[in-house]
PDB file of all heavy atoms in Angstrom:
ATOM      1  N   ILE A   1     -27.717  -3.790  19.862  1.00  0.00           N
ATOM      2  CA  ILE A   1     -26.548  -4.428  19.241  1.00  0.00           C
ATOM      3  C   ILE A   1     -25.886  -3.497  18.233  1.00  0.00           C
ATOM      4  O   ILE A   1     -24.654  -3.480  18.102  1.00  0.00           O
ATOM      5  CB  ILE A   1     -26.961  -5.760  18.574  1.00  0.00           C
ATOM      6  CG1 ILE A   1     -27.360  -6.783  19.652  1.00  0.00           C
ATOM      7  CG2 ILE A   1     -25.839  -6.316  17.700  1.00  0.00           C
ATOM      8  CD1 ILE A   1     -27.955  -8.063  19.091  1.00  0.00           C
ATOM      9  N   PHE A   2     -26.689  -2.692  17.521  1.00  0.00           N
ATOM     10  CA  PHE A   2     -26.128  -1.821  16.500  1.00  0.00           C
ATOM     11  C   PHE A   2     -25.230  -0.733  17.098  1.00  0.00           C
ATOM     12  O   PHE A   2     -24.348  -0.220  16.407  1.00  0.00           O
ATOM     13  CB  PHE A   2     -27.242  -1.195  15.646  1.00  0.00           C
ATOM     14  CG  PHE A   2     -27.471  -1.929  14.359  1.00  0.00           C
ATOM     15  CD1 PHE A   2     -27.997  -3.218  14.366  1.00  0.00           C
ATOM     16  CD2 PHE A   2     -27.144  -1.361  13.147  1.00  0.00           C
ATOM     17  CE1 PHE A   2     -28.200  -3.914  13.190  1.00  0.00           C
ATOM     18  CE2 PHE A   2     -27.334  -2.042  11.953  1.00  0.00           C
ATOM     19  CZ  PHE A   2     -27.856  -3.318  11.977  1.00  0.00           C
ATOM     20  N   THR A   3     -25.445  -0.375  18.353  1.00  0.00           N
ATOM     21  CA  THR A   3     -24.527   0.551  19.015  1.00  0.00           C
ATOM     22  C   THR A   3     -23.143  -0.074  19.141  1.00  0.00           C
ATOM     23  O   THR A   3     -22.118   0.594  18.948  1.00  0.00           O
ATOM     24  CB  THR A   3     -25.056   0.937  20.412  1.00  0.00           C
ATOM     25  OG1 THR A   3     -26.397   1.426  20.292  1.00  0.00           O
ATOM     26  CG2 THR A   3     -24.183   2.013  21.051  1.00  0.00           C
ATOM     27  N   TRP A   4     -23.094  -1.391  19.442  1.00  0.00           N
ATOM     28  CA  TRP A   4     -21.830  -2.124  19.526  1.00  0.00           C
ATOM     29  C   TRP A   4     -21.135  -2.178  18.173  1.00  0.00           C
ATOM     30  O   TRP A   4     -19.921  -1.985  18.074  1.00  0.00           O
ATOM     31  CB  TRP A   4     -22.093  -3.549  20.023  1.00  0.00           C
ATOM     32  CG  TRP A   4     -22.463  -3.635  21.456  1.00  0.00           C
ATOM     33  CD1 TRP A   4     -23.709  -3.520  21.984  1.00  0.00           C
ATOM     34  CD2 TRP A   4     -21.588  -3.834  22.564  1.00  0.00           C
ATOM     35  NE1 TRP A   4     -23.675  -3.649  23.352  1.00  0.00           N
ATOM     36  CE2 TRP A   4     -22.385  -3.848  23.731  1.00  0.00           C
ATOM     37  CE3 TRP A   4     -20.212  -4.023  22.676  1.00  0.00           C
ATOM     38  CZ2 TRP A   4     -21.840  -4.030  24.992  1.00  0.00           C
ATOM     39  CZ3 TRP A   4     -19.669  -4.206  23.938  1.00  0.00           C
ATOM     40  CH2 TRP A   4     -20.474  -4.215  25.077  1.00  0.00           C
ATOM     41  N   ILE A   5     -21.923  -2.437  17.131  1.00  0.00           N
ATOM     42  CA  ILE A   5     -21.346  -2.503  15.783  1.00  0.00           C
ATOM     43  C   ILE A   5     -20.721  -1.163  15.405  1.00  0.00           C
ATOM     44  O   ILE A   5     -19.611  -1.099  14.868  1.00  0.00           O
ATOM     45  CB  ILE A   5     -22.426  -2.901  14.755  1.00  0.00           C
ATOM     46  CG1 ILE A   5     -22.927  -4.325  15.041  1.00  0.00           C
ATOM     47  CG2 ILE A   5     -21.880  -2.809  13.329  1.00  0.00           C
ATOM     48  CD1 ILE A   5     -24.102  -4.748  14.190  1.00  0.00           C
ATOM     49  N   GLY A   6     -21.443  -0.077  15.702  1.00  0.00           N
ATOM     50  CA  GLY A   6     -20.920   1.250  15.397  1.00  0.00           C
ATOM     51  C   GLY A   6     -19.632   1.560  16.141  1.00  0.00           C
ATOM     52  O   GLY A   6     -18.682   2.110  15.569  1.00  0.00           O
ATOM     53  N   ALA A   7     -19.583   1.198  17.428  1.00  0.00           N
ATOM     54  CA  ALA A   7     -18.363   1.431  18.209  1.00  0.00           C
ATOM     55  C   ALA A   7     -17.192   0.633  17.659  1.00  0.00           C
ATOM     56  O   ALA A   7     -16.058   1.127  17.591  1.00  0.00           O
ATOM     57  CB  ALA A   7     -18.610   1.076  19.678  1.00  0.00           C
ATOM     58  N   GLY A   8     -17.466  -0.612  17.246  1.00  0.00           N
ATOM     59  CA  GLY A   8     -16.407  -1.431  16.656  1.00  0.00           C
ATOM     60  C   GLY A   8     -15.868  -0.820  15.377  1.00  0.00           C
ATOM     61  O   GLY A   8     -14.649  -0.789  15.150  1.00  0.00           O
ATOM     62  N   ILE A   9     -16.759  -0.310  14.533  1.00  0.00           N
ATOM     63  CA  ILE A   9     -16.328   0.359  13.304  1.00  0.00           C
ATOM     64  C   ILE A   9     -15.512   1.607  13.633  1.00  0.00           C
ATOM     65  O   ILE A   9     -14.507   1.901  12.971  1.00  0.00           O
ATOM     66  CB  ILE A   9     -17.551   0.729  12.430  1.00  0.00           C
ATOM     67  CG1 ILE A   9     -18.261  -0.537  11.951  1.00  0.00           C
ATOM     68  CG2 ILE A   9     -17.125   1.575  11.231  1.00  0.00           C
ATOM     69  CD1 ILE A   9     -19.573  -0.279  11.245  1.00  0.00           C
ATOM     70  N   GLY A  10     -15.932   2.323  14.685  1.00  0.00           N
ATOM     71  CA  GLY A  10     -15.201   3.527  15.100  1.00  0.00           C
ATOM     72  C   GLY A  10     -13.768   3.220  15.498  1.00  0.00           C
ATOM     73  O   GLY A  10     -12.846   3.971  15.169  1.00  0.00           O
ATOM     74  N   ILE A  11     -13.579   2.101  16.200  1.00  0.00           N
ATOM     75  CA  ILE A  11     -12.223   1.697  16.600  1.00  0.00           C
ATOM     76  C   ILE A  11     -11.396   1.340  15.370  1.00  0.00           C
ATOM     77  O   ILE A  11     -10.218   1.705  15.252  1.00  0.00           O
ATOM     78  CB  ILE A  11     -12.293   0.498  17.574  1.00  0.00           C
ATOM     79  CG1 ILE A  11     -12.961   0.926  18.886  1.00  0.00           C
ATOM     80  CG2 ILE A  11     -10.891  -0.037  17.857  1.00  0.00           C
ATOM     81  CD1 ILE A  11     -13.241  -0.219  19.828  1.00  0.00           C
ATOM     82  N   LEU A  12     -12.024   0.631  14.421  1.00  0.00           N
ATOM     83  CA  LEU A  12     -11.318   0.242  13.197  1.00  0.00           C
ATOM     84  C   LEU A  12     -10.930   1.455  12.354  1.00  0.00           C
ATOM     85  O   LEU A  12      -9.918   1.433  11.637  1.00  0.00           O
ATOM     86  CB  LEU A  12     -12.194  -0.703  12.357  1.00  0.00           C
ATOM     87  CG  LEU A  12     -12.469  -2.088  12.970  1.00  0.00           C
ATOM     88  CD1 LEU A  12     -13.445  -2.865  12.099  1.00  0.00           C
ATOM     89  CD2 LEU A  12     -11.166  -2.866  13.139  1.00  0.00           C
ATOM     90  N   LEU A  13     -11.728   2.525  12.458  1.00  0.00           N
ATOM     91  CA  LEU A  13     -11.460   3.734  11.676  1.00  0.00           C
ATOM     92  C   LEU A  13     -10.498   4.694  12.376  1.00  0.00           C
ATOM     93  O   LEU A  13     -10.263   5.796  11.892  1.00  0.00           O
ATOM     94  CB  LEU A  13     -12.771   4.479  11.382  1.00  0.00           C
ATOM     95  CG  LEU A  13     -13.758   3.779  10.433  1.00  0.00           C
ATOM     96  CD1 LEU A  13     -15.049   4.586  10.351  1.00  0.00           C
ATOM     97  CD2 LEU A  13     -13.141   3.613   9.056  1.00  0.00           C
ATOM     98  N   ALA A  14      -9.972   4.260  13.528  1.00  0.00           N
ATOM     99  CA  ALA A  14      -9.111   5.148  14.326  1.00  0.00           C
ATOM    100  C   ALA A  14      -7.914   5.655  13.521  1.00  0.00           C
ATOM    101  O   ALA A  14      -7.425   6.760  13.736  1.00  0.00           O
ATOM    102  CB  ALA A  14      -8.633   4.426  15.582  1.00  0.00           C
ATOM    103  N   GLY A  15      -7.442   4.856  12.577  1.00  0.00           N
ATOM    104  CA  GLY A  15      -6.277   5.267  11.788  1.00  0.00           C
ATOM    105  C   GLY A  15      -6.614   6.181  10.630  1.00  0.00           C
ATOM    106  O   GLY A  15      -5.718   6.767  10.016  1.00  0.00           O
ATOM    107  N   LEU A  16      -7.910   6.329  10.323  1.00  0.00           N
ATOM    108  CA  LEU A  16      -8.320   7.180   9.195  1.00  0.00           C
ATOM    109  C   LEU A  16      -8.831   8.528   9.706  1.00  0.00           C
ATOM    110  O   LEU A  16      -9.975   8.906   9.487  1.00  0.00           O
ATOM    111  CB  LEU A  16      -9.421   6.472   8.385  1.00  0.00           C
ATOM    112  CG  LEU A  16      -9.076   5.095   7.830  1.00  0.00           C
ATOM    113  CD1 LEU A  16     -10.302   4.472   7.168  1.00  0.00           C
ATOM    114  CD2 LEU A  16      -7.919   5.201   6.819  1.00  0.00           C
ATOM    115  N   LYS A  17      -7.962   9.246  10.369  1.00  0.00           N
ATOM    116  CA  LYS A  17      -8.367  10.474  11.043  1.00  0.00           C
ATOM    117  C   LYS A  17      -8.887  11.537  10.072  1.00  0.00           C
ATOM    118  O   LYS A  17      -9.702  12.373  10.431  1.00  0.00           O
ATOM    119  CB  LYS A  17      -7.205  11.028  11.877  1.00  0.00           C
ATOM    120  CG  LYS A  17      -6.788  10.102  13.009  1.00  0.00           C
ATOM    121  CD  LYS A  17      -5.865  10.775  13.976  1.00  0.00           C
ATOM    122  CE  LYS A  17      -5.486   9.838  15.117  1.00  0.00           C
ATOM    123  NZ  LYS A  17      -6.631   9.491  15.963  1.00  0.00           N
ATOM    124  N   ASP A  18      -8.407  11.519   8.834  1.00  0.00           N
ATOM    125  CA  ASP A  18      -8.847  12.517   7.853  1.00  0.00           C
ATOM    126  C   ASP A  18     -10.299  12.304   7.426  1.00  0.00           C
ATOM    127  O   ASP A  18     -10.946  13.228   6.930  1.00  0.00           O
ATOM    128  CB  ASP A  18      -7.948  12.477   6.611  1.00  0.00           C
ATOM    129  CG  ASP A  18      -6.521  12.924   6.910  1.00  0.00           C
ATOM    130  OD1 ASP A  18      -6.348  13.643   7.918  1.00  0.00           O
ATOM    131  OD2 ASP A  18      -5.612  12.551   6.151  1.00  0.00           O
ATOM    132  N   PHE A  19     -10.824  11.089   7.632  1.00  0.00           N
ATOM    133  CA  PHE A  19     -12.175  10.776   7.150  1.00  0.00           C
ATOM    134  C   PHE A  19     -13.172  10.537   8.283  1.00  0.00           C
ATOM    135  O   PHE A  19     -14.365  10.381   8.021  1.00  0.00           O
ATOM    136  CB  PHE A  19     -12.135   9.533   6.254  1.00  0.00           C
ATOM    137  CG  PHE A  19     -11.248   9.686   5.052  1.00  0.00           C
ATOM    138  CD1 PHE A  19      -9.967   9.154   5.050  1.00  0.00           C
ATOM    139  CD2 PHE A  19     -11.687  10.372   3.933  1.00  0.00           C
ATOM    140  CE1 PHE A  19      -9.142   9.292   3.937  1.00  0.00           C
ATOM    141  CE2 PHE A  19     -10.875  10.513   2.828  1.00  0.00           C
ATOM    142  CZ  PHE A  19      -9.597   9.982   2.828  1.00  0.00           C
ATOM    143  N   GLN A  20     -12.700  10.504   9.515  1.00  0.00           N
ATOM    144  CA  GLN A  20     -13.578  10.166  10.629  1.00  0.00           C
ATOM    145  C   GLN A  20     -14.768  11.120  10.739  1.00  0.00           C
ATOM    146  O   GLN A  20     -15.926  10.698  10.801  1.00  0.00           O
ATOM    147  CB  GLN A  20     -12.785  10.175  11.947  1.00  0.00           C
ATOM    148  CG  GLN A  20     -11.878   8.981  12.124  1.00  0.00           C
ATOM    149  CD  GLN A  20     -11.097   9.069  13.416  1.00  0.00           C
ATOM    150  OE1 GLN A  20     -11.099  10.092  14.103  1.00  0.00           O
ATOM    151  NE2 GLN A  20     -10.411   7.998  13.754  1.00  0.00           N
ATOM    152  N   GLU A  21     -14.483  12.425  10.775  1.00  0.00           N
ATOM    153  CA  GLU A  21     -15.538  13.410  10.961  1.00  0.00           C
ATOM    154  C   GLU A  21     -16.544  13.380   9.819  1.00  0.00           C
ATOM    155  O   GLU A  21     -17.751  13.504  10.040  1.00  0.00           O
ATOM    156  CB  GLU A  21     -14.950  14.815  11.104  1.00  0.00           C
ATOM    157  CG  GLU A  21     -14.348  15.102  12.463  1.00  0.00           C
ATOM    158  CD  GLU A  21     -14.025  16.578  12.633  1.00  0.00           C
ATOM    159  OE1 GLU A  21     -14.025  17.312  11.619  1.00  0.00           O
ATOM    160  OE2 GLU A  21     -13.789  17.004  13.770  1.00  0.00           O
ATOM    161  N   ILE A  22     -16.047  13.215   8.593  1.00  0.00           N
ATOM    162  CA  ILE A  22     -16.926  13.199   7.425  1.00  0.00           C
ATOM    163  C   ILE A  22     -17.871  11.999   7.472  1.00  0.00           C
ATOM    164  O   ILE A  22     -19.082  12.126   7.212  1.00  0.00           O
ATOM    165  CB  ILE A  22     -16.107  13.159   6.111  1.00  0.00           C
ATOM    166  CG1 ILE A  22     -15.225  14.399   5.997  1.00  0.00           C
ATOM    167  CG2 ILE A  22     -17.038  13.051   4.913  1.00  0.00           C
ATOM    168  CD1 ILE A  22     -15.995  15.696   5.944  1.00  0.00           C
ATOM    169  N   ILE A  23     -17.332  10.825   7.833  1.00  0.00           N
ATOM    170  CA  ILE A  23     -18.151   9.609   7.897  1.00  0.00           C
ATOM    171  C   ILE A  23     -19.271   9.767   8.915  1.00  0.00           C
ATOM    172  O   ILE A  23     -20.442   9.473   8.636  1.00  0.00           O
ATOM    173  CB  ILE A  23     -17.278   8.389   8.228  1.00  0.00           C
ATOM    174  CG1 ILE A  23     -16.313   8.094   7.073  1.00  0.00           C
ATOM    175  CG2 ILE A  23     -18.146   7.164   8.519  1.00  0.00           C
ATOM    176  CD1 ILE A  23     -15.259   7.061   7.404  1.00  0.00           C
ATOM    177  N   VAL A  24     -18.928  10.247  10.112  1.00  0.00           N
ATOM    178  CA  VAL A  24     -19.928  10.439  11.159  1.00  0.00           C
ATOM    179  C   VAL A  24     -20.927  11.515  10.745  1.00  0.00           C
ATOM    180  O   VAL A  24     -22.142  11.363  10.939  1.00  0.00           O
ATOM    181  CB  VAL A  24     -19.257  10.821  12.498  1.00  0.00           C
ATOM    182  CG1 VAL A  24     -20.320  11.168  13.541  1.00  0.00           C
ATOM    183  CG2 VAL A  24     -18.398   9.672  13.002  1.00  0.00           C
ATOM    184  N   ALA A  25     -20.443  12.623  10.149  1.00  0.00           N
ATOM    185  CA  ALA A  25     -21.314  13.725   9.750  1.00  0.00           C
ATOM    186  C   ALA A  25     -22.328  13.286   8.696  1.00  0.00           C
ATOM    187  O   ALA A  25     -23.507  13.644   8.767  1.00  0.00           O
ATOM    188  CB  ALA A  25     -20.481  14.893   9.231  1.00  0.00           C
ATOM    189  N   VAL A  26     -21.870  12.506   7.705  1.00  0.00           N
ATOM    190  CA  VAL A  26     -22.780  12.005   6.667  1.00  0.00           C
ATOM    191  C   VAL A  26     -23.851  11.111   7.295  1.00  0.00           C
ATOM    192  O   VAL A  26     -25.049  11.242   7.006  1.00  0.00           O
ATOM    193  CB  VAL A  26     -22.006  11.235   5.578  1.00  0.00           C
ATOM    194  CG1 VAL A  26     -22.970  10.483   4.668  1.00  0.00           C
ATOM    195  CG2 VAL A  26     -21.156  12.197   4.757  1.00  0.00           C
ATOM    196  N   GLY A  27     -23.429  10.210   8.164  1.00  0.00           N
ATOM    197  CA  GLY A  27     -24.375   9.297   8.809  1.00  0.00           C
ATOM    198  C   GLY A  27     -25.399  10.015   9.660  1.00  0.00           C
ATOM    199  O   GLY A  27     -26.601   9.717   9.595  1.00  0.00           O
ATOM    200  N   LEU A  28     -24.947  10.986  10.448  1.00  0.00           N
ATOM    201  CA  LEU A  28     -25.866  11.729  11.308  1.00  0.00           C
ATOM    202  C   LEU A  28     -26.783  12.639  10.488  1.00  0.00           C
ATOM    203  O   LEU A  28     -27.935  12.878  10.869  1.00  0.00           O
ATOM    204  CB  LEU A  28     -25.083  12.550  12.336  1.00  0.00           C
ATOM    205  CG  LEU A  28     -24.321  11.732  13.388  1.00  0.00           C
ATOM    206  CD1 LEU A  28     -23.595  12.655  14.357  1.00  0.00           C
ATOM    207  CD2 LEU A  28     -25.272  10.810  14.155  1.00  0.00           C
TER     208      LEU A  28
END
């Protein structure tokens, strides 16, 4: 289920292109 939650957050963050890579990089 958490994979679904992450994908949903990714779609919501689609407009924040300047922060997308940083958010994923910090999490990973």
Side-chain angles (χ1 to χ4, degrees):
I1 292 172
F2 262 68
T3 307
W4 288 87
I5 295 173
I9 295 172
I11 294 172
L12 293 175
L13 292 175
L16 303 175
K17 296 192 179 294
D18 293 338
F19 301 100
Q20 285 178 351
E21 283 191 346
I22 299 298
I23 293 170
V24 174
V26 168
L28 293 180

